[in-house]
Tab-separated table of all heavy atoms in Angstrom:
chain	number	residue	atom	x	y	z
A	257	VAL	N	24.165	3.518	11.972
A	257	VAL	CA	23.127	2.476	11.978
A	257	VAL	C	21.743	3.091	11.833
A	257	VAL	O	20.904	2.611	11.056
A	257	VAL	CB	23.214	1.632	13.275
A	257	VAL	CG1	21.992	0.728	13.399
A	257	VAL	CG2	24.492	0.805	13.283
A	258	ILE	N	21.508	4.179	12.568
A	258	ILE	CA	20.223	4.869	12.486
A	258	ILE	C	19.984	5.394	11.072
A	258	ILE	O	18.890	5.242	10.491
A	258	ILE	CB	20.153	6.032	13.498
A	258	ILE	CG1	20.174	5.489	14.930
A	258	ILE	CG2	18.902	6.879	13.263
A	258	ILE	CD1	18.973	4.652	15.299
A	259	PHE	N	21.016	5.971	10.469
A	259	PHE	CA	20.905	6.503	9.108
A	259	PHE	C	20.582	5.404	8.105
A	259	PHE	O	19.714	5.555	7.247
A	259	PHE	CB	22.213	7.200	8.730
A	259	PHE	CG	22.243	7.671	7.303
A	259	PHE	CD1	21.542	8.799	6.908
A	259	PHE	CD2	22.951	6.950	6.338
A	259	PHE	CE1	21.553	9.205	5.591
A	259	PHE	CE2	22.961	7.359	5.021
A	259	PHE	CZ	22.255	8.499	4.647
A	260	LEU	N	21.293	4.261	8.246
A	260	LEU	CA	21.054	3.152	7.332
A	260	LEU	C	19.653	2.584	7.491
A	260	LEU	O	18.995	2.225	6.510
A	260	LEU	CB	22.102	2.051	7.557
A	260	LEU	CG	23.525	2.392	7.133
A	260	LEU	CD1	24.493	1.291	7.579
A	260	LEU	CD2	23.612	2.597	5.622
A	261	PHE	N	19.191	2.512	8.753
A	261	PHE	CA	17.833	1.991	9.022
A	261	PHE	C	16.784	2.894	8.384
A	261	PHE	O	15.847	2.429	7.731
A	261	PHE	CB	17.592	1.893	10.528
A	261	PHE	CG	16.181	1.510	10.895
A	261	PHE	CD1	15.748	0.201	10.797
A	261	PHE	CD2	15.276	2.489	11.322
A	261	PHE	CE1	14.440	-0.150	11.114
A	261	PHE	CE2	13.981	2.144	11.632
A	261	PHE	CZ	13.570	0.830	11.535
A	262	LEU	N	16.932	4.203	8.570
A	262	LEU	CA	15.965	5.141	8.010
A	262	LEU	C	16.005	5.125	6.490
A	262	LEU	O	14.970	5.204	5.823
A	262	LEU	CB	16.235	6.556	8.536
A	262	LEU	CG	15.985	6.777	10.033
A	262	LEU	CD1	16.409	8.187	10.453
A	262	LEU	CD2	14.513	6.558	10.372
A	263	SER	N	17.202	4.992	5.933
A	263	SER	CA	17.321	4.937	4.478
A	263	SER	C	16.656	3.690	3.922
A	263	SER	O	15.953	3.733	2.914
A	263	SER	CB	18.803	4.950	4.073
A	263	SER	OG	19.417	6.143	4.511
A	264	LEU	N	16.876	2.563	4.607
A	264	LEU	CA	16.259	1.312	4.174
A	264	LEU	C	14.745	1.393	4.267
A	264	LEU	O	14.023	0.958	3.376
A	264	LEU	CB	16.786	0.156	5.024
A	264	LEU	CG	16.203	-1.236	4.723
A	264	LEU	CD1	16.549	-1.641	3.284
A	264	LEU	CD2	16.730	-2.259	5.720
A	265	ASN	N	14.251	2.000	5.368
A	265	ASN	CA	12.816	2.132	5.565
A	265	ASN	C	12.198	3.031	4.498
A	265	ASN	O	11.114	2.757	3.972
A	265	ASN	CB	12.535	2.702	6.961
A	265	ASN	CG	11.060	2.633	7.323
A	265	ASN	OD1	10.460	1.583	7.234
A	265	ASN	ND2	10.498	3.772	7.715
A	266	ALA	N	12.922	4.100	4.141
A	266	ALA	CA	12.425	5.017	3.112
A	266	ALA	C	12.356	4.316	1.761
A	266	ALA	O	11.393	4.464	1.012
A	266	ALA	CB	13.316	6.248	3.032
A	267	ARG	N	13.399	3.518	1.440
A	267	ARG	CA	13.408	2.806	0.174
A	267	ARG	C	12.293	1.767	0.127
A	267	ARG	O	11.676	1.545	-0.911
A	267	ARG	CB	14.774	2.132	-0.058
A	267	ARG	CG	15.863	3.113	-0.474
A	267	ARG	CD	17.046	2.359	-1.083
A	267	ARG	NE	17.663	1.470	-0.119
A	267	ARG	CZ	18.662	1.828	0.699
A	267	ARG	NH1	19.129	3.076	0.673
A	267	ARG	NH2	19.199	0.959	1.526
A	268	THR	N	12.035	1.128	1.289
A	268	THR	CA	10.955	0.138	1.356
A	268	THR	C	9.613	0.785	1.065
A	268	THR	O	8.811	0.280	0.274
A	268	THR	CB	10.922	-0.532	2.744
A	268	THR	OG1	12.170	-1.187	2.962
A	268	THR	CG2	9.793	-1.540	2.824
A	269	ASN	N	9.331	1.940	1.700
A	269	ASN	CA	8.066	2.634	1.475
A	269	ASN	C	7.967	3.150	0.049
A	269	ASN	O	6.878	3.246	-0.519
A	269	ASN	CB	7.920	3.800	2.465
A	269	ASN	CG	7.569	3.318	3.873
A	269	ASN	OD1	6.664	2.523	4.032
A	269	ASN	ND2	8.291	3.777	4.864
A	270	ASP	N	9.128	3.491	-0.549
A	270	ASP	CA	9.116	3.981	-1.917
A	270	ASP	C	8.739	2.875	-2.895
A	270	ASP	O	8.284	3.146	-4.006
A	270	ASP	CB	10.493	4.548	-2.262
A	270	ASP	CG	10.432	5.417	-3.507
A	270	ASP	OD1	9.498	6.231	-3.604
A	270	ASP	OD2	11.300	5.263	-4.378
A	271	LYS	N	8.929	1.632	-2.499
A	271	LYS	CA	8.584	0.491	-3.339
A	271	LYS	C	7.102	0.102	-3.211
A	271	LYS	O	6.640	-0.820	-3.859
A	271	LYS	CB	9.450	-0.720	-2.971
A	271	LYS	CG	10.933	-0.560	-3.278
A	271	LYS	CD	11.196	-0.544	-4.774
A	271	LYS	CE	12.686	-0.482	-5.076
A	271	LYS	NZ	12.956	-0.446	-6.530
A	272	ILE	N	6.413	0.793	-2.336
A	272	ILE	CA	5.009	0.465	-2.091
A	272	ILE	C	4.114	1.201	-3.080
A	272	ILE	O	4.270	2.402	-3.306
A	272	ILE	CB	4.611	0.811	-0.647
A	272	ILE	CG1	5.287	-0.149	0.329
A	272	ILE	CG2	3.089	0.755	-0.471
A	272	ILE	CD1	5.025	0.166	1.782
A	273	LYS	N	3.190	0.466	-3.661
A	273	LYS	CA	2.177	1.052	-4.546
A	273	LYS	C	0.832	0.977	-3.835
A	273	LYS	O	0.412	-0.092	-3.394
A	273	LYS	CB	2.110	0.288	-5.868
A	273	LYS	CG	1.076	0.869	-6.834
A	273	LYS	CD	1.018	0.091	-8.150
A	273	LYS	CE	0.176	-1.151	-8.014
A	273	LYS	NZ	-0.118	-1.779	-9.331
A	274	ILE	N	0.160	2.121	-3.725
A	274	ILE	CA	-1.155	2.172	-3.081
A	274	ILE	C	-2.190	2.563	-4.125
A	274	ILE	O	-2.016	3.552	-4.852
A	274	ILE	CB	-1.158	3.158	-1.902
A	274	ILE	CG1	-0.188	2.680	-0.815
A	274	ILE	CG2	-2.570	3.301	-1.334
A	274	ILE	CD1	-0.103	3.580	0.384
A	275	SER	N	-3.246	1.768	-4.210
A	275	SER	CA	-4.267	1.981	-5.241
A	275	SER	C	-5.657	1.905	-4.628
A	275	SER	O	-5.879	1.205	-3.633
A	275	SER	CB	-4.159	0.928	-6.341
A	275	SER	OG	-2.850	0.826	-6.837
A	276	VAL	N	-6.576	2.616	-5.263
A	276	VAL	CA	-7.999	2.481	-4.947
A	276	VAL	C	-8.600	1.488	-5.930
A	276	VAL	O	-8.416	1.614	-7.147
A	276	VAL	CB	-8.716	3.839	-5.045
A	276	VAL	CG1	-10.224	3.654	-4.833
A	276	VAL	CG2	-8.158	4.812	-4.032
A	277	LEU	N	-9.310	0.493	-5.399
A	277	LEU	CA	-10.003	-0.487	-6.233
A	277	LEU	C	-11.502	-0.194	-6.180
A	277	LEU	O	-12.084	-0.121	-5.099
A	277	LEU	CB	-9.733	-1.906	-5.734
A	277	LEU	CG	-8.273	-2.372	-5.723
A	277	LEU	CD1	-8.171	-3.769	-5.128
A	277	LEU	CD2	-7.664	-2.339	-7.118
A	278	THR	N	-12.099	-0.012	-7.345
A	278	THR	CA	-13.537	0.250	-7.420
A	278	THR	C	-14.207	-0.901	-8.161
A	278	THR	O	-13.836	-1.207	-9.303
A	278	THR	CB	-13.821	1.573	-8.155
A	278	THR	OG1	-13.140	2.636	-7.478
A	278	THR	CG2	-15.309	1.859	-8.182
A	279	CYS	N	-15.169	-1.521	-7.497
A	279	CYS	CA	-15.868	-2.681	-8.065
A	279	CYS	C	-17.283	-2.277	-8.460
A	279	CYS	O	-17.942	-1.519	-7.747
A	279	CYS	CB	-15.920	-3.826	-7.048
A	279	CYS	SG	-14.299	-4.260	-6.375
A	280	SER	N	-17.736	-2.812	-9.569
A	280	SER	CA	-19.088	-2.509	-10.035
A	280	SER	C	-20.123	-3.200	-9.144
A	280	SER	O	-19.795	-4.053	-8.320
A	280	SER	CB	-19.263	-2.951	-11.486
A	280	SER	OG	-19.076	-4.348	-11.600
A	281	ALA	N	-21.380	-2.827	-9.333
A	281	ALA	CA	-22.468	-3.366	-8.512
A	281	ALA	C	-22.675	-4.859	-8.778
A	281	ALA	O	-22.412	-5.352	-9.874
A	281	ALA	CB	-23.749	-2.597	-8.784
A	282	GLY	N	-23.172	-5.545	-7.752
A	282	GLY	CA	-23.499	-6.956	-7.874
A	282	GLY	C	-25.004	-7.175	-7.874
A	282	GLY	O	-25.794	-6.225	-7.840
A	283	ASP	N	-25.407	-8.437	-7.882
A	283	ASP	CA	-26.836	-8.772	-7.938
A	283	ASP	C	-27.500	-8.774	-6.567
A	283	ASP	O	-28.713	-8.560	-6.461
A	283	ASP	CB	-27.022	-10.150	-8.589
A	283	ASP	CG	-26.584	-10.161	-10.046
A	283	ASP	OD1	-26.755	-9.125	-10.702
A	283	ASP	OD2	-26.071	-11.197	-10.506
A	284	GLU	N	-26.731	-9.045	-5.511
A	284	GLU	CA	-27.303	-9.103	-4.171
A	284	GLU	C	-27.579	-7.687	-3.659
A	284	GLU	O	-26.942	-6.720	-4.073
A	284	GLU	CB	-26.354	-9.821	-3.212
A	284	GLU	CG	-25.985	-11.233	-3.635
A	284	GLU	CD	-27.180	-12.165	-3.662
A	284	GLU	OE1	-28.146	-11.899	-2.923
A	284	GLU	OE2	-27.152	-13.151	-4.404
A	285	LEU	N	-28.522	-7.587	-2.718
A	285	LEU	CA	-28.905	-6.285	-2.179
A	285	LEU	C	-27.712	-5.572	-1.559
A	285	LEU	O	-27.506	-4.369	-1.770
A	285	LEU	CB	-30.021	-6.463	-1.141
A	285	LEU	CG	-30.521	-5.183	-0.464
A	285	LEU	CD1	-31.074	-4.214	-1.500
A	285	LEU	CD2	-31.585	-5.518	0.585
A	286	TYR	N	-26.894	-6.298	-0.794
A	286	TYR	CA	-25.770	-5.666	-0.095
A	286	TYR	C	-24.662	-5.218	-1.056
A	286	TYR	O	-23.793	-4.430	-0.684
A	286	TYR	CB	-25.193	-6.608	0.970
A	286	TYR	CG	-24.603	-7.893	0.425
A	286	TYR	CD1	-23.298	-7.936	-0.064
A	286	TYR	CD2	-25.347	-9.068	0.405
A	286	TYR	CE1	-22.763	-9.111	-0.570
A	286	TYR	CE2	-24.816	-10.244	-0.106
A	286	TYR	CZ	-23.523	-10.252	-0.588
A	286	TYR	OH	-22.988	-11.418	-1.088
A	287	SER	N	-24.696	-5.704	-2.301
A	287	SER	CA	-23.667	-5.327	-3.277
A	287	SER	C	-24.218	-4.417	-4.377
A	287	SER	O	-23.548	-4.167	-5.372
A	287	SER	CB	-23.048	-6.573	-3.906
A	287	SER	OG	-24.014	-7.311	-4.636
A	288	ALA	N	-25.432	-3.909	-4.174
A	288	ALA	CA	-26.124	-3.159	-5.235
A	288	ALA	C	-25.469	-1.824	-5.560
A	288	ALA	O	-25.754	-1.236	-6.608
A	288	ALA	CB	-27.582	-2.931	-4.834
């Protein structure tokens, strides 16, 4: 059971995509 749980958890994390999103400047001062 422990092995299956860890395997499932590993496969779940392997399906995860992590990205950095970079947004251009805006017109407001706080978004400049």
Side-chain angles (χ1 to χ4, degrees):
V257 170
I258 294 295
F259 175 76
L260 291 172
F261 174 78
L262 293 175
S263 299
L264 178 62
N265 190 52
R267 284 197 297 270
T268 300
N269 285 311
D270 196 45
K271 294 291 184 181
I272 290 176
K273 181 180 81 169
I274 297 180
S275 309
V276 175
L277 300 177
T278 303
C279 307
S280 61
D283 295 326
E284 303 296 334
L285 179 60
Y286 63 83
S287 63

